[in-house]
Amino acid sequence: MALLRPLDKLPTLDVATVLLLGTEETLLQQLGAAIIEECEGTAKIQVHMASSLPLPSDRECFRPRIDLIVFVLSLHSKYSLKTVELSLPHVDASFFLGKVCFLVTGGEMLP
């Protein structure tokens, strides 16, 4: 199990890679499509999705450098929170300096 570090790989010119991590695949796909659509024409964005960390090692599959990790939490699922909690130890602490965000879904607006 390799720790996910922000500087493990050299950056690719004009490309940013976003990792969406969560248990709700439909929501991840919608978010990924929205990110790509919003950035179309201005920058090249690659979106990868995973249900949990650790990711497969480089020997098993090609994995690009990850520029941003988005942890997607659903307030309707305890499993969603547990998955994020179990994935956090697989992320190097330096990722939390501007390279990680948490997106919480399923909340209701109070009047």
Side-chain angles (χ1 to χ4, degrees):
M1 282 188 324
L3 196 63
L4 193 58
R5 298 178 193 277
L7 300 174
D8 275 349
K9 297 184 176 202
L10 294 174
T12 307
L13 293 177
D14 300 330
V15 176
T17 303
V18 177
L19 174 64
L20 303 178
L21 192 122
T23 57
E24 296 186 20
E25 187 175 332
T26 305
L27 180 63
L28 295 180
Q29 289 175 350
Q30 290 173 347
L31 180 59
I35 290 170
I36 290 171
E37 183 179 318
E38 185 66 30
C39 296
E40 190 174 351
T42 58
K44 184 173 180 193
I45 304 290
Q46 295 179 343
V47 177
H48 293 267
M49 293 176 266
S51 58
S52 65
L53 293 177
L55 295 174
S57 69
D58 290 335
R59 290 182 212 111
E60 295 173 25
C61 68
F62 172 74
R63 180 174 50 86
R65 176 183 173 202
I66 296 171
D67 298 300
L68 175 69
I69 302 173
V70 179
F71 290 97
V72 181
L73 294 150
S74 172
L75 294 179
H76 298 295
S77 170
K78 289 181 183 179
Y79 178 68
S80 175
L81 178 61
K82 191 66 173 170
T83 299
V84 170
E85 287 177 343
L86 294 174
S87 296
L88 286 175
H90 300 285
V91 179
D92 187 61
S94 60
F95 244 110
F96 292 96
L97 300 172
K99 295 182 182 344
V100 169
C101 80
F102 293 88
L103 175 65
V104 180
T105 64
E108 296 179 7
M109 297 286 289
L110 296 176

